Amino acid sequence: MKRFASPVLAALALTTALAGPASAAQAILPGYWESTNRLLSPIRTTDVEKRCITPADVEKFMMGPSNRHYTCTYPTRSFADGKILLKGTCVSKKGRQVAVSGEGAFTPTSFNLTANIATTFAGIPLSGKASTEARRIGDVCPPKDADTSE
């Protein structure tokens, strides 16, 4: 079931202002980040991830959750005044579509998002709720060969 939640939870990070990329004053800080990703329904799962966000990655990171399992687009996205709003669709490599809508809050060193997700499986509609809480845990990332998974 982790794949079901992945488009929402990769995030750790999200969106930009509707008109374009977030300004430096309205962005997360680069560094070493830890996120706790939870699928709240229909099945409960929790995944903790640590990742390095370089200065070059900040804008992409804030464009909305995507990961190696899903490619996501968010026609509605706002990342301004400490608030997050997004609505879009993620598509798996096998073509499964997942509708995503969520809202939350951010600071330069923290991020939280609660999202509703909807898809179909074998023609049966499925919906769920997921959340991500992330925090910056360091200015500097560990060397790339260090084990950062938990």
Side-chain angles (χ1 to χ4, degrees):
M1 261 344 251
K2 282 186 184 179
R3 284 183 168 208
F4 183 72
S6 293
V8 177
L9 305 178
L12 314 306
L14 282 184
T15 51
T16 64
L18 290 171
S23 69
Q26 295 187 351
I28 61 166
L29 291 172
Y32 197 43
W33 283 74
E34 179 181 75
S35 63
T36 301
N37 307 308
R38 292 181 176 91
L39 180 59
L40 305 170
S41 67
I43 297 173
R44 289 188 169 272
T45 64
T46 299
D47 181 39
V48 176
E49 174 184 69
K50 292 181 181 174
R51 68 186 287 185
C52 185
I53 307 230
T54 67
D57 294 334
V58 169
E59 185 176 331
K60 180 181 176 188
F61 186 77
M62 294 175 65
M63 289 297 292
S66 285
N67 64 26
R68 67 183 179 268
H69 302 293
Y70 290 85
T71 300
C72 304
T73 58
Y74 299 98
T76 300
R77 63 182 180 265
S78 175
F79 194 99
D81 300 324
K83 296 181 181 169
I84 303 162
L85 174 66
L86 69 92
K87 187 171 184 178
T89 303
C90 298
V91 180
S92 74
K93 290 179 182 177
K94 294 182 179 181
R96 176 181 284 166
Q97 292 190 8
V98 179
V100 179
S101 64
E103 56 186 65
F106 75 97
T107 70
T109 60
S110 67
F111 169 89
N112 70 68
L113 174 74
T114 301
N116 293 305
I117 51 180
T119 190
T120 58
F121 183 75
I124 300 169
L126 295 174
S127 62
K129 193 170 201 169
S131 71
T132 294
E133 293 178 24
R135 64 188 177 96
R136 187 171 180 259
I137 56 175
D139 294 337
V140 179
C141 298
K144 287 190 184 233
D145 59 341
D147 181 17
T148 60
S149 61
E150 290 192 358

